[in-house]
Amino acid sequence: PAAALATWRSRGPPFGMHPDQQLVQLLAVVSIFLVFGIGEVLIGKFFAPEAGREDNRLDVAVGIMFPIVSGSVFAAGRALCAWLFPDLRDAWADWPLWAMILTLLVADDFTQYWWHRLSHTSVLWPLHRAHHSASYMSVRVVYRNNLFYYAMMPGLWLGGALLYLGFGWTFVWYSVVKLCVIIGAHSAVRWDQWLYRYRVLHPLAWVLERTISTPATHYAHHALTQDDGIGLYQGNYGNLLFLWDILLGTSRITRQYPPAYGLKDDRRHGQERWYHQLFYPLLRSKRAETVLGYEKHLPVD
């Protein structure tokens, strides 16, 4: 057994990251969540006084299910590549760092921009509405989506393929940086407010808010309304790079935070049940004015 373990550690599991890479990624992910989560606890925001019973149950369920679903998609993507292209394992492992990063930004982050943007149309909105049904911003919301939203996400499938092709450590550190940005953009810890408060930091703020997602720009995307000049749930789609929104004309930068979050239909008719949000279309709601049932899809607002 010891010899077999040593061999596995030296070669790594088929089509994926080596155990050391998996360990580093896991520790980094847990650490980032803990830092922002503890920050939210200290300012009294983690347990979200606005959260209802369905919110709490959905947040816990997503926390359990997301690693399983995303890990399965990565594994399936790697296995599919191994079946279709058995001779290409680690074929791109010698690429220069800049080429790997550029490829990841396009294959993962740019495709996620378009996946996110499509999710704000009637085509995919039922799979994404859980992310917007929270009336609060928090690390709890980061991966709050329907499971099929992730099962079909192009970036996860392409990520599995790039791991098979040898992106290993570059993928690990790229994912850590991206996670820092997206957790920071959802967290109730508004780290960017310090950049706006001090004039000497305004040039840095100008660059950052046009490059990556920040709390101010992403909070706007979760706003209850976009009629106040702050909210923009039909824009600000970027995950790691907000630059995509700048280039494609879907950005709004105000350096302000919306006064309220969530969905108007939930306020009118009450929250959807957590399992309808998580498992649609396997489970469908009978609530009045719903997009999680058999009725015709409604506009996002």
Side-chain angles (χ1 to χ4, degrees):
L5 179 61
T7 301
W8 181 69
R9 288 184 62 84
S10 64
R11 296 180 179 178
F15 328 127
M17 292 183 285
H18 288 270
D20 290 342
Q21 295 168 348
Q22 294 173 336
L23 179 61
V24 168
Q25 186 180 50
L26 176 62
L27 291 176
V29 168
V30 171
S31 298
I32 297 167
F33 267 105
L34 281 175
V35 168
F36 281 100
I38 291 172
E40 291 185 3
V41 170
L42 293 176
I43 64 175
K45 295 289 188 179
F46 180 77
F47 296 102
E50 306 89 345
R53 181 179 63 180
E54 301 301 327
D55 288 311
N56 293 327
R57 292 180 176 181
L58 179 58
D59 292 349
V60 171
V62 169
I64 295 171
M65 298 294 294
F66 171 74
I68 298 173
V69 174
S70 60
S72 298
V73 173
F74 275 124
R78 297 192 297 263
L80 184 62
C81 286
W83 176 54
L84 295 174
F85 313 108
D87 299 327
L88 291 183
R89 180 179 176 182
D90 292 334
W92 296 356
D94 295 327
W95 275 23
L97 179 62
W98 67 265
M100 287 188 178
I101 292 175
L102 183 61
T103 300
L104 283 166
L105 287 173
V106 174
D108 173 70
D109 201 54
F110 191 49
T111 62
Q112 192 170 356
Y113 166 89
W114 283 106
W115 184 248
H116 189 186
R117 187 168 175 174
L118 182 62
S119 298
H120 280 261
T121 68
S122 60
V123 177
L124 288 178
W125 174 245
L127 305 185
H128 184 56
R129 83 173 298 282
H131 192 65
H132 287 267
S133 64
S135 58
Y136 50 90
M137 296 302 295
S138 169
V139 296
R140 296 167 45 168
V141 179
V142 174
Y143 291 118
R144 178 171 158 151
N145 276 294
N146 180 284
L147 295 185
F148 292 101
Y149 178 85
Y150 291 113
M152 299 187 297
M153 182 180 286
L156 293 181
W157 287 92
L158 291 172
L162 293 175
L163 283 171
Y164 175 78
L165 291 168
F167 275 41
W169 281 112
T170 303
F171 182 89
V172 170
W173 295 118
Y174 165 83
S175 64
V176 170
V177 171
K178 180 169 182 175
L179 197 60
C180 281
V181 172
I182 63 175
I183 292 178
H186 287 87
S187 176
V189 179
R190 300 174 177 180
W191 59 265
D192 58 341
Q193 64 185 335
W194 299 99
L195 301 177
Y196 309 143
R197 184 171 300 176
Y198 302 104
R199 184 175 297 275
V200 68
L201 296 177
H202 285 187
L204 176 60
W206 191 93
V207 173
L208 283 179
E209 65 192 2
R210 285 164 176 77
T211 306
I212 63 172
S213 292
T214 63
T217 56
H218 200 69
Y219 277 31
H221 179 71
H222 282 257
L224 181 66
T225 178
Q226 60 178 10
D227 301 328
D228 59 1
I230 301 175
L232 186 68
Y233 46 72
Q234 295 283 26
N236 288 19
Y237 299 113
N239 284 263
L240 169 57
L241 293 185
F242 190 74
L243 181 63
W244 307 128
D245 288 286
I246 297 293
L247 295 176
L248 296 171
T250 55
S251 65
R252 175 179 287 177
I253 300 174
T254 67
R255 299 189 177 183
Q256 300 180 67
Y257 307 95
Y261 309 93
L263 298 174
K264 292 179 180 179
D265 63 287
D266 281 352
R267 299 204 174 196
R268 287 192 294 263
H269 301 284
Q271 287 187 303
E272 295 278 14
R273 303 304 296 271
W274 69 270
Y275 43 83
H276 292 148
Q277 298 185 67
L278 189 62
F279 295 110
Y280 175 88
L282 299 182
L283 300 176
R284 300 194 175 206
S285 171
K286 296 180 180 180
R287 192 196 74 175
E289 199 173 317
T290 181
V291 295
L292 299 180
Y294 295 95
E295 295 81 5
K296 181 180 179 181
H297 291 153
L298 300 171
V300 172
D301 193 13

